[in-house]
């Protein structure tokens, strides 16, 4: 039951060793580790090769820089395992990450398994101290009950493992900078009757301040968050149950995210801002359905629909107060 673990590597010489070490100390040992160097300009390639010399399970691949999606696609092309999973090179996994996800697939007889994640910053340690000693009872989710607001939503590829034949002909969209894994996972999900969740955090996500999703200033590539949810809505529009409705809700929330990040930035584009407002207003019924538990998102969205100019002013004011 060999597993292929695909790890894109780009300028992470500081974080890469801890990621690799967390994978080489897994309780499940029958796997291959594909380290894909995506044109790094730091010492990451040398670190990859040093580890590969010590452990025959590691295969290193080198390519020109093309982004995380192109690196993952190269890994999918080269993967030999029956199962596939993805890990980011600056993150860490629990020692039972591979074992429990693999067992979840086998015991549930579903082709896709996910786990929860914990977020951490640079100096945090003991990330998995609260893990149970034995794998907890699994939770299965049917596609007809799927919602994109569920805490166990299946949109982050690094939290999951899947049968390789499920995604053999699916590829990441290399034109998308934010949400590319959500689009990939939805395509995989639509080929199944459901998925299984290991209800504990086996994956630790490093909060990198300079990542695209966490930048306070807007950059043009952040518009791809809207593009992602447009494509997901098109994929699921005929799906029964709540999947299509909640995809539309996430789409309008993405409109608000992008709009307010753009407000007051050097890349503010009045025509693009007007387009985003029009899209949000066209889907105002979806805005009504956004869960009340998402108060911040809902308030930003309705400000966008009803009075975008006031929303921009409030966003700029909040940014100034935050900066002191």
């Amino acid at each position: 039951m060999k597993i292929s673990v695909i790890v894109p590597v780009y300028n992470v010489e500081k974080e890469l060793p801890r990621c690799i070490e967390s994978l080489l100390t897994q309780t499940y040992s029958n796997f291959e580790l594909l380290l894909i160097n995506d044109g790094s300009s730091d010492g990451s390639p040398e670190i990859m090769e040093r580890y590969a010399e010590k452990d025959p399970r590691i295969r290193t691949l080198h390519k020109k820089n093309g982004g995380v999606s192109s690196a993952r696609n190269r890994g999918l092309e080269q993967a030999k395992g029956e199962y596939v999973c993805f890990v980011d090179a600056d993150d860490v996994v629990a020692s039972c990450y591979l074992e429990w996800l693999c067992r979840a697939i086998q015991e549930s007889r579903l082709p896709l398994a996910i786990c929860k994640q914990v977020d951490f910053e640079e100096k945090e340690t003991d990330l998995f101290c609260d893990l149970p000693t034995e794998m907890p009872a699994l939770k299965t989710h049917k596609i007809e009950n799927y919602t994109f607001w569920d805490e166990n939503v299946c949109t982050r590829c690094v939290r999951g493992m899947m049968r390789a034949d499920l995604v053999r002909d699916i590829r990441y969209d290399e034109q998308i900078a934010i949400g590319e894994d959500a689009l990939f996972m939805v395509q995989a999900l639509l080929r199944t009757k459901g998925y299984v969740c290991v209800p504990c955090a086996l994956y630790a996500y490093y909060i990198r301040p300079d990542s695209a999703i966490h930048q306070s200033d807007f950059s043009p590539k952040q518009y791809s968050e809207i593009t992602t949810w447009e494509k997901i809505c098109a994929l699921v529009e005929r799906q029964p149950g709540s999947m299509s409705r909640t995809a539309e809700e996430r789409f309008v929330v993405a409109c608000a995210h992008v709009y307010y990040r753009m407000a007051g930035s050097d890349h503010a584009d009045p025509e693009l801002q007007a387009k985003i407002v029009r899209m949000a207003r066209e889907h105002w019924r979806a805005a009504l359905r956004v869960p009340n538990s998402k108060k911040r998102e809902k308030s930003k969205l309705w400000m966008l629909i009803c009075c975008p100019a006031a929303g921009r002013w409030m966003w700029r004011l909040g940014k100034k107060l935050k900066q002191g």
Side-chain angles (χ1 to χ4, degrees):
M1 296 294 184
K2 180 183 282 190
I3 300 168
S4 294
V5 184
I6 298 171
V7 181
V9 177
Y10 178 70
N11 289 354
V12 284
E13 61 180 1
K14 184 179 179 181
E15 298 86 11
L16 183 58
R18 72 185 179 198
C19 175
I20 295 176
E21 292 288 349
S22 74
L23 286 162
L24 296 183
T25 55
Q26 290 291 298
T27 55
Y28 186 100
S29 60
N30 188 20
F31 66 90
E32 63 171 356
L33 175 54
L34 300 176
L35 300 176
I36 319 293
N37 171 34
D38 187 38
S40 296
S41 57
D42 66 355
S44 297
E46 289 75 15
I47 294 172
M48 291 167 47
E49 296 301 336
R50 284 203 303 270
Y51 275 99
E53 290 174 1
K54 298 176 183 178
D55 197 311
R57 294 174 297 179
I58 298 177
R59 294 166 57 199
T60 60
L61 299 167
H62 301 269
K63 60 182 288 295
K64 292 182 179 180
N65 179 250
V68 65
S69 290
S70 69
R72 287 172 178 160
N73 286 340
R74 177 67 65 85
L76 284 170
E77 292 167 3
Q78 297 293 324
K80 298 178 180 179
E82 183 180 348
Y83 300 145
V84 174
C85 65
F86 303 90
V87 175
D88 286 344
D90 48 1
D91 297 340
V92 182
V93 294
S95 60
C96 55
Y97 173 77
L98 295 180
E99 179 189 351
W100 287 9
L101 286 176
C102 184
R103 283 178 54 191
I105 291 175
Q106 293 170 351
E107 293 179 14
S108 68
R109 297 186 179 181
L110 292 169
L112 178 59
I114 66 167
C115 65
K116 294 185 177 181
Q117 75 176 43
V118 59
D119 297 344
F120 75 101
E121 296 181 353
E122 183 61 41
K123 297 181 180 180
E124 294 183 56
T125 57
D126 298 326
L127 300 173
F128 304 108
C129 58
D130 295 330
L131 272 182
T133 56
E134 299 291 336
M135 186 174 75
L138 301 173
K139 296 183 178 180
T140 57
H141 299 265
K142 296 181 179 180
I143 295 302
E144 56 261 35
N145 299 326
Y146 190 88
T147 165
F148 286 101
W149 296 112
D150 194 312
E151 65 173 348
N152 296 320
V153 67
C154 190
T155 56
R156 294 214 64 221
C157 66
V158 294
R159 290 171 47 197
M161 180 182 292
M162 59 213 75
R163 284 207 323 257
D165 59 0
L166 181 70
V167 295
R168 190 66 69 188
D169 59 344
I170 300 177
R171 291 296 180 266
Y172 289 89
D173 189 328
E174 297 183 18
Q175 304 305 312
I176 291 179
I178 296 177
E180 74 289 335
D181 52 346
L183 181 59
F184 177 88
M185 292 297 282
V186 168
Q187 291 179 78
L189 194 63
L190 291 176
R191 297 181 172 187
T192 73
K193 295 181 179 180
Y195 64 101
V196 60
C197 178
V198 181
C200 53
L202 304 179
Y203 192 95
Y205 172 70
Y206 175 49
I207 303 176
R208 180 181 285 276
D210 58 353
S211 68
I213 196 67
H214 293 115
Q215 289 175 359
S216 58
D217 293 328
F218 181 82
S219 64
K221 66 182 180 181
Q222 289 176 339
Y223 183 82
S224 65
E225 182 181 357
I226 292 178
T227 305
T228 292
W229 286 101
E230 279 184 310
K231 292 189 174 187
I232 290 174
C233 285
L235 283 172
V236 304
E237 73 175 325
R238 292 184 178 85
Q239 288 297 310
S242 57
M243 180 179 277
S244 177
R245 290 166 58 86
T246 56
E248 185 186 15
E249 293 158 19
R250 289 292 299 269
F251 166 73
V252 291
V253 168
C255 289
H257 284 170
V258 173
Y259 184 87
Y260 289 116
R261 282 178 181 268
M262 190 189 300
S265 77
D266 294 336
H267 300 283
D269 181 335
E271 290 186 8
L272 187 55
Q273 286 179 308
K275 177 183 176 182
I276 294 172
V277 172
R278 288 197 301 271
M279 289 190 297
R281 287 174 174 169
E282 287 171 4
H283 296 271
W284 65 270
R285 290 182 178 83
L288 283 174
R289 300 195 307 265
V290 172
N292 291 330
S293 58
K294 307 294 180 181
K295 292 180 181 179
R296 187 168 182 268
E297 288 88 347
K298 199 161 188 172
S299 61
K300 288 170 63 177
L301 180 54
W302 279 107
M303 186 66 74
L304 171 63
I305 291 173
C306 298
C307 192
R312 290 198 304 272
W313 180 84
M314 291 177 65
W315 187 90
R316 293 184 191 127
L317 177 62
K319 186 177 179 181
K320 288 180 180 179
L321 291 174
K322 188 176 181 180
Q323 294 174 342

